[in-house]
């Protein structure tokens, strides 16, 4: 019988999501304080469990190398100058927290580049 390779999926709070969440939280707090915020709540400590079913990500990886990604850093599909992607698919992961603000920020950058034809 031929054995087919298959991915093994795990649930739970692993090391990488916690580090990504802590980094994102600290940088976001820095930005908020720099913008004048006086009360900032940072997220630290163990995760309360994973939340993945409604936060799909990936399938059209964003990157700088067409050999390993589908779109360039401005959402343009490699090899198709007039096709851009501006949604959650360009994120390989969600960085440990809910994704919409990151999707929104990345989409804004993609649209800005399109409108101003910078890239
Ligand atoms: C119950 C629930 C709660 C959530 N809560 C949060 C939250 O609190 N915070 C957070 O950050 N994120 C939350 N999310 C996740 C967030 O909603 C998604 O990550 C985000 O909407 C993904 O954006 P997107 O643009 O990639 O895809 P979508 O928002 O799904 O947009 C895809 C669009 O494409 C359209 N479409 C699909 N197929 C076609 C087709 N063939 N032709 C034309 N149009 C098509 C769809 O109608 C849809 O409008 C939640 C998701 C769910 C389901």
């Amino acid at each position: 019988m031929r054995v087919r390779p298959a991915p093994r999926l795990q649930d739970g709070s692993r090391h990488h999501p916690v580090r990504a969440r802590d980094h994102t939280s600290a940088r976001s707090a820095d930005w908020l304080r720099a913008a004048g915020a006086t009360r900032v709540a940072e997220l630290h400590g163990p995760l309360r469990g994973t939340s993945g079913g409604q936060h799909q990500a990936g399938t059209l990886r964003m990157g700088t190398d067409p050999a390993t990604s589908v779109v360039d850093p401005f959402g343009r599909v490699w090899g198709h100058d007039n096709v851009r992607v501006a949604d959650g698919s360009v994120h390989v992961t969600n960085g440990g927290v809910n994704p919409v603000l990151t999707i929104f920020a990345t989409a804004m950058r993609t649209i800005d580049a399109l409108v101003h034809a910078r890239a």
Side-chain angles (χ1 to χ4, degrees):
M1 186 174 85
R2 186 166 159 250
V3 177
R4 293 185 178 177
R8 193 171 127 205
L9 306 180
Q10 294 180 319
D11 188 19
S13 300
R14 306 293 170 195
H15 182 61
H16 177 70
V18 172
R19 283 189 58 201
R21 188 278 316 271
D22 286 351
H23 178 81
T24 306
S25 182
R27 292 292 74 73
S28 299
D30 290 344
W31 293 331
L32 288 169
R33 290 193 188 98
T38 54
R39 292 181 59 206
V40 177
E42 292 188 43
L43 289 173
H44 291 291
L47 296 180
R48 285 172 295 177
T50 52
S51 172
Q54 73 277 36
H55 294 157
Q56 300 88 341
T59 70
L60 295 176
R61 176 194 289 260
M62 178 179 275
T64 55
D65 183 353
T68 57
S69 58
V70 177
V71 300
D72 73 8
F74 298 94
R76 190 168 38 195
V77 177
W78 291 111
H80 299 276
D81 286 349
N82 63 344
V83 180
R84 301 211 188 212
V85 179
D87 66 12
S89 68
V90 300
H91 305 179
V92 176
T93 72
N94 283 323
V97 292
N98 290 2
V100 156
L101 293 179
T102 306
I103 295 170
F104 188 69
T106 310
M108 293 281 283
R109 187 174 70 166
T110 291
I111 299 307
D112 188 60
L114 172 68
V115 169
H116 296 100
R118 279 200 290 264

